[in-house]
């Protein structure tokens, strides 16, 4: 979703008296018409703000918290406009209801998928910036109007401050709670003007994370922590080959002989050992020792999957974008540069493995889970003959999402198992099950060709992408009528940061046999930025020009130039480094934000590359919480470096070879670089931050390796790419 799209969106405000409370929400005109005074029916309003007669102010959260700080930044938007302390705003997870709490998927989305309730794509602040502030401002105005009416004074003579309405002339004051019922009875006013940035009390100020104390002392409730009374534990085992089936008969008697084991559930492609506690379930699964038929995908091999993609990258595919006459321009060029890039399958490897607690009853089910898509989970369970109104979903804190919990396969599996169990059951995956049954970031092969003029400038650019069609796989084939996957061409098509006059981008869809795929942190930008920024570095080297100056000469966007200049300056670009060290640069415009990143690498014959320092310069528009933005950049860079340096998922005989953090490693503290972040003050609309560092860092890393060694890494992870250049 682009910033331009958001500024065109028009909002309407609704309110209703619910148990004497003032309820204020915002709906997107044209997508949902919520009438004013719609009564107290649950779901009649999105009810972003609820002010009870007791004085309790509640934000019904339209986004989930998975470590990115929404439980701090989004309440800041409400508290700012409502003129109250941030600490006084309570939070409540929104129920699954995309009509009320959803946001547009994409302006061009087909009928029936105009909006969803997902948290992802670094969209939380982008999507909530205006509607949450509008809800807070409207609630404030209605409270002031109620006070003025009670005091029989003009509205202009009253103002809101610290959770109260004050009449300055007489010093009279009333709390929001005391005014809630009266305010709810008033007509809904036209949307009031939002506060000027110069008057912000909270927005733009460094604010500690509200969820930190609970996460430190252990009181925070993640999905895996939920324990309803009398609940049991079900440990799952899934067919190791996609489409495989269990070998029967099962050794159920051996499992049931383990003390504490109460049941074995067999669903064919997934089994579960149900027990009174986790240890008994683990021992029961060990005693069960299941064996599996491989099925049609048992012969799938990594080398064949990669070869198929390499072949696909040489095919014409479908044209995603064409400008000018790239073939004709290339014929008259001075220098030609060609390259092929490989990016591997990647697991999400979240710290909290997949889990779901569910109680299946005759009349429906109740679910406790951490999910990025509560509405999608409810919709998917319809396949088990459940109606949405039969499903009650309690969304929990998420111990890492990264796109994994955009998928609801774990919830569906839990429901299938829970149908056979009396009472609530905590369905748990081991770490091995989690990594070996992920929805992996697809393997991609990119083939690029550029032609340069006598000054080293690109006069022709041709790019073919071969990989999975994630957009179609997630949203349906009808969403890609021309066969061009929206995700695959992100950052490389019409939105490429360099204004190239002659370019062609093609896409060849190849969904890998037997390997389920899905979105991974940074979505399409992660793949696209690595390829584009690595190849631009190759062009700079072919032109024998400095990589920073080369990029700057091509750029026309002032915001991109500014972040590039700042990052280069703060990184000491051009200053001497020790022998065997190098700096690399990468830039991007993604998620509505502008980022330049410089990585500093030292090389060792024994240990390979070590990232010593990463310097980030970002213009993400208006910043809500600078502390949160810096934390997201630091975390995103570390996450991206872990993947780029050594992470990959490989397939042999249809099975994933990696199983835990020993062979799918994250950076250890001793390996992590110093990350410096420089945020540019901006008056532009907010952009996203959570995935920016992940998307940008791999290219900077590989460009730094080239600067240090002269070896060009075109295959990730770096550990494999360096071997390929040896």
């Amino acid at each position: 979703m682009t910033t331009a799209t958001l500024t065109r969106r028009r909002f309407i405000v609704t309110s209703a008296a619910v148990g004497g409370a003032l309820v204020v929400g915002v709906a997107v005109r044209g997508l949902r018409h919520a009438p004013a005074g719609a009564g107290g029916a649950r779901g009649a309003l999105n009810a972003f703000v609820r002010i009870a007669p007791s004085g309790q102010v509640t934000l019904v959260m339209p986004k989930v918290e998975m470590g990115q700080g929404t439980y701090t930044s989004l309440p800041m938007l409400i508290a700012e406009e409502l003129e109250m302390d941030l600490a006084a705003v309570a939070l409540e997870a929104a129920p699954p209801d995309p009509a009320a709490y959803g946001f547009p998927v994409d302006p061009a989305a087909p009928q029936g998928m105009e909006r969803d309730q997902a948290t992802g794509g670094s969209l939380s602040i982008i999507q909530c910036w205006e509607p949450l502030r509008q809800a807070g401002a409207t609630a404030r105005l209605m409270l002031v109007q109620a006070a003025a009416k009670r005091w029989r004074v003009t509205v202009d003579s009253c103002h809101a401050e610290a959770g109260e309405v004050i009449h300055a002339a007489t010093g009279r004051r009333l709390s929001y709670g005391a005014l809630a019922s009266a305010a709810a009875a008033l007509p809904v006013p036209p949307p009031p003007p939002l506060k000027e940035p110069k008057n912000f009390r909270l927005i733009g100020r460094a604010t500690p994370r509200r969820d930190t104390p609970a996460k430190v002392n252990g009181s925070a409730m993640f999905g895996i922590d939920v324990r309803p009374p009398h609940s049991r534990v079900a440990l799952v085992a899934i067919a190791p080959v996609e489409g495989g089936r269990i070998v029967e008969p099962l050794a159920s008697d051996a499992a049931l002989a383990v003390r504490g084991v109460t049941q074995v559930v067999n669903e064919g492609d997934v089994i579960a050992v149900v027990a009174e506690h986790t240890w008994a379930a683990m021992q029961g699964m060990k005693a069960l020792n299941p064996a599996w038929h491989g099925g049609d995908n048992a012969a799938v091999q990594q080398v064949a999957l990669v070869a198929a993609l390499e072949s696909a990258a040489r095919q014409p595919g479908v044209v995603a974008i064409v400008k000018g006459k790239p073939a004709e321009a290339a014929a008259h060029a001075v220098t030609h540069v060609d390259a092929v890039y490989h990016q591997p399958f990647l697991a999400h490897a979240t710290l909290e493995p997949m889990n779901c607690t569910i109680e299946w009853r005759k009349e429906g089910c109740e679910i406790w889970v951490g999910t990025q898509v509560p509405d999608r989970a409810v919709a998917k369970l319809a396949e088990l003959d459940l109606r949405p109104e039969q499903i009650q979903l309690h969304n929990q804190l998420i111990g890492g999402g990264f796109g994994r919990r955009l998928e609801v396969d774990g919830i569906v599996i839990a429901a299938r198992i829970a149908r056979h169990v009396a009472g609530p059951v905590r369905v748990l995956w081991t770490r091995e099950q989690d990594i070996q049954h992920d929805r992996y970031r697809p393997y991609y092969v990119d083939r690029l060709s550029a032609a340069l003029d006598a000054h080293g400038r690109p006069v022709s650019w041709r790019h073919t992408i071969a990989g999975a069609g994630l957009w179609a796989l997630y949203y349906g084939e009808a969403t890609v009528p021309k066969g061009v996957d929206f995700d695959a061409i992100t950052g490389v098509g019409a939105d490429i940061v360099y204004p190239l006059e002659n370019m062609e981008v093609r896409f060849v869809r190849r969904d890998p046999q037997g390997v389920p795929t899905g979105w991974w942190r940074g979505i399409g930008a992660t793949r696209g930025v690595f390829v584009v920024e690595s190849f631009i570095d190759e062009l700079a080297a072919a032109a024998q020009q400095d990589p920073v100056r080369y990029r700057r000469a091509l750029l026309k966007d002032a915001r991109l130039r500014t972040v590039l200049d700042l990052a280069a300056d703060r990184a000491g670009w051009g200053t001497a480094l020790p022998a065997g060290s190098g700096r690399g640069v990468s830039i991007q415009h993604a998620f509505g934000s502008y980022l330049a990143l410089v990585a500093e690498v030292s090389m060792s014959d024994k240990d390979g590359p070590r990232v010593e320092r990463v310097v980030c310069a970002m213009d993400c528009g208006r910043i809500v919480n600078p502390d949160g933005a810096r934390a997201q950049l630091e975390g995103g860079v570390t996450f991206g470096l872990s993947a780029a340096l050594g992470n990959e998922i490989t397939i042999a005989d249809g099975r994933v070879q990696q199983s835990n953090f020993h062979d799918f490693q994250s950076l250890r503290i001793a390996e992590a670089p110093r990350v410096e972040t420089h945020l540019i003050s901006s008056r532009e609309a907010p952009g996203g931050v959570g995935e920016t560092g992940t998307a940008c860092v791999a290219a900077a890393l590989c460009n730094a390796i080239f600067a240090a060694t002269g070896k060009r890494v075109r295959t990730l992870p770096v550990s494999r790419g360096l071997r390929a250049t040896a």
Side-chain angles (χ1 to χ4, degrees):
M1 182 175 301
T2 65
T3 302
T5 302
L6 291 167
T7 58
R8 290 194 299 268
R9 197 186 306 164
R10 301 172 64 192
F11 298 97
I12 59 174
V13 178
T14 63
S15 74
V18 181
L22 172 64
V23 177
V24 178
V26 179
V28 182
R29 182 171 295 167
L31 294 180
R32 174 178 176 270
H33 297 278
R42 186 171 183 82
L45 300 168
N46 56 13
F48 284 141
V49 181
R50 186 172 65 242
I51 304 174
S54 65
Q56 179 64 65
V57 177
T58 302
L59 164 61
V60 182
M61 286 286 294
K63 300 292 182 179
V64 300
E65 174 63 72
M66 50 185 173
Q68 80 279 39
T70 54
Y71 273 26
T72 302
S73 57
L74 297 191
M76 288 173 70
L77 303 179
I78 291 289
E80 182 69 76
E81 295 290 346
L82 198 49
E83 294 292 0
M84 61 182 302
D85 291 338
L86 177 61
V89 180
L91 303 180
E92 178 183 305
D97 185 355
Y101 297 100
F103 291 88
V105 174
D106 183 78
Q111 184 71 26
M113 59 160 288
E114 296 95 342
R115 57 199 179 278
D116 65 19
Q117 209 170 331
T119 301
S122 298
L123 286 169
S124 291
I125 290 294
I126 294 175
Q127 291 178 330
C128 294
W129 169 250
E130 186 173 341
L132 290 193
R133 292 173 61 213
Q134 188 68 74
T138 301
R140 182 190 73 234
L141 175 58
M142 295 179 73
L143 292 163
V144 170
Q145 289 175 337
K149 184 177 181 180
R150 182 174 298 184
W151 293 327
R152 298 183 180 180
V153 298
T154 63
V155 172
D156 292 344
S157 66
C158 304
H159 69 278
E161 181 181 325
E164 296 181 316
V165 177
I166 301 170
H167 184 234
T170 62
R172 286 178 290 184
R173 59 181 64 210
L174 286 168
S175 70
Y176 287 173
L179 292 165
S181 295
L186 295 175
V188 180
L194 301 176
K195 290 175 69 172
E196 292 291 332
K198 65 182 180 181
N199 297 324
F200 285 161
R201 299 175 301 107
L202 297 172
I203 294 174
R205 296 195 177 188
T207 304
R209 287 275 297 267
R210 299 180 71 196
D211 52 343
T212 297
K215 289 179 176 177
V216 170
N217 66 29
S219 62
M221 290 293 291
F222 294 86
I224 204 168
D225 297 320
V226 175
R227 286 169 171 78
H230 312 297
S231 59
R232 298 182 183 182
V233 172
L235 193 71
V236 301
I238 306 169
V241 177
E242 185 76 1
R245 305 288 293 180
I246 191 71
V247 174
E248 298 189 75
L250 286 172
S252 298
D253 290 345
L256 292 169
V258 174
R259 184 176 180 180
V261 173
T262 60
Q263 191 175 354
V264 174
V265 176
N266 181 1
E267 281 280 298
D269 59 335
V270 58
I271 60 173
V273 173
V274 184
E276 295 172 357
H277 49 79
T278 307
W279 179 250
M282 294 175 68
Q283 293 302 107
M285 185 64 75
K286 184 177 180 180
L288 189 65
N289 192 25
W292 301 89
H293 294 294
D296 294 341
N297 296 317
V300 173
Q301 308 293 342
Q302 178 85 5
V303 64
L305 293 172
V306 174
L309 288 170
E310 289 177 327
S311 175
R314 295 184 176 90
Q315 297 175 13
V318 293
V319 176
I321 184 172
V322 61
K323 290 171 56 180
K325 299 178 179 179
E328 183 176 316
H332 300 90
V334 174
T335 305
H336 296 266
V337 182
D338 299 285
V340 176
Y341 292 89
H342 286 236
Q343 296 178 72
F345 293 115
L346 288 173
H348 299 84
T350 60
L351 189 60
E352 179 189 16
M354 297 292 284
N355 63 88
C356 178
T357 298
I358 183 167
E359 183 173 7
W360 190 279
R361 310 184 187 101
K362 184 182 299 183
E363 67 278 6
C365 70
E366 190 170 3
I367 303 170
W368 296 264
V369 70
T371 174
Q372 294 175 245
V373 282
D375 57 327
R376 189 177 183 90
V378 169
K380 195 69 173 176
L381 288 179
E383 297 178 6
L384 300 180
D385 298 324
L386 286 174
R387 298 186 304 274
E389 60 269 21
Q390 293 179 295
I391 303 167
Q392 186 179 5
L393 189 148
H394 308 281
N395 215 347
Q396 309 296 313
L397 293 174
I398 299 175
F402 314 132
R404 178 61 181 104
R405 285 172 167 87
L406 287 170
E407 305 287 347
V408 298
D409 54 301
I411 300 173
V412 173
I413 284 175
R416 291 170 59 194
I417 292 167
R419 292 182 300 178
H420 304 282
V421 181
V425 57
R426 301 171 56 230
V427 181
L428 306 179
W429 299 32
T430 63
R431 175 69 59 197
E432 289 76 14
Q433 292 291 313
D434 186 273
I435 287 181
Q436 295 185 327
H437 297 90
D438 203 339
R439 296 296 183 263
Y440 304 99
R441 199 285 301 273
Y443 197 111
Y444 290 101
V445 173
D446 289 70
R447 179 175 293 276
L448 293 98
S449 177
L452 312 182
D453 63 17
H455 302 288
R457 296 175 64 89
V459 295
S460 175
W461 178 287
R462 286 179 284 185
H463 184 177
T464 299
I465 305 154
L470 287 186
W471 192 266
L473 291 170
Y474 194 80
Y475 287 116
E477 299 295 332
T479 65
V480 286
K482 296 181 180 180
V484 178
D485 191 80
F486 177 78
D487 185 72
I489 64 170
T490 298
V492 304
D495 57 345
I496 193 169
V497 298
Y498 303 101
L500 304 170
E501 295 181 0
N502 301 289
M503 67 176 297
E504 180 183 76
V505 177
R506 292 177 175 268
F507 174 65
V508 185
R509 181 177 172 182
R510 289 292 183 273
D511 299 329
Q513 178 186 347
V515 185
T517 55
W519 279 312
W520 189 84
R521 187 174 185 177
I523 51 178
T526 298
R527 187 206 60 76
V529 171
F530 168 69
V531 172
V532 169
E533 285 301 293
S534 295
F535 195 54
I536 281 288
D537 228 64
E538 294 207 43
L539 302 190
Q544 299 183 329
Q545 296 182 27
D546 175 81
V548 168
R549 288 197 293 270
Y550 188 81
R551 286 172 169 81
R552 199 180 193 287
L554 294 177
L555 293 174
K556 292 184 179 180
D557 191 300
R559 295 174 75 182
L560 274 171
R561 283 185 172 184
T562 298
V563 295
L564 177 60
D565 290 346
L566 179 59
D569 176 71
R570 298 303 171 88
W573 189 270
T575 60
L577 285 172
S581 299
R583 294 189 185 96
V585 64
S586 178
I587 64 174
Q588 69 182 31
H589 176 210
F591 313 104
S593 296
Y594 299 80
L595 175 64
L597 194 151
V598 175
E600 190 174 299
V601 173
S602 61
M603 298 296 296
S604 164
D605 292 337
K606 177 182 177 182
D607 300 321
R610 177 183 176 87
V611 186
E612 305 286 353
R613 180 186 180 210
V614 176
V615 178
C616 308
M618 171 172 279
D619 175 357
C620 58
R622 186 72 64 181
I623 302 172
V624 176
N625 184 4
D627 270 4
R630 291 189 181 94
Q632 285 295 282
L633 269 177
E634 292 166 0
V637 164
T638 304
F639 190 87
L641 284 175
S642 294
L645 285 167
N647 286 172
E648 61 178 334
I649 290 294
T650 55
I651 310 297
D653 300 323
R655 300 179 179 226
V656 172
Q657 298 303 289
Q658 292 69 29
S659 62
N660 211 312
F661 288 133
H662 70 287
D663 53 9
F664 196 88
Q665 297 185 5
S666 295
L667 284 181
R668 275 31 178 188
I669 290 177
E671 301 169 318
R674 183 171 77 255
V675 180
E676 302 173 17
T677 58
H678 304 278
L679 304 177
I680 293 174
S681 178
S682 174
R683 297 183 179 181
E684 301 294 333
V689 178
E691 296 166 283
T692 53
T694 298
C696 203
V697 72
L701 163 67
C702 293
N703 293 338
I705 291 172
F706 175 77
T709 65
K711 296 180 180 179
R712 184 65 67 181
V713 178
R714 298 191 181 105
T715 296
L716 292 180
V718 168
S719 55
R720 181 179 294 275
L722 283 176
R723 290 197 299 270
T725 63

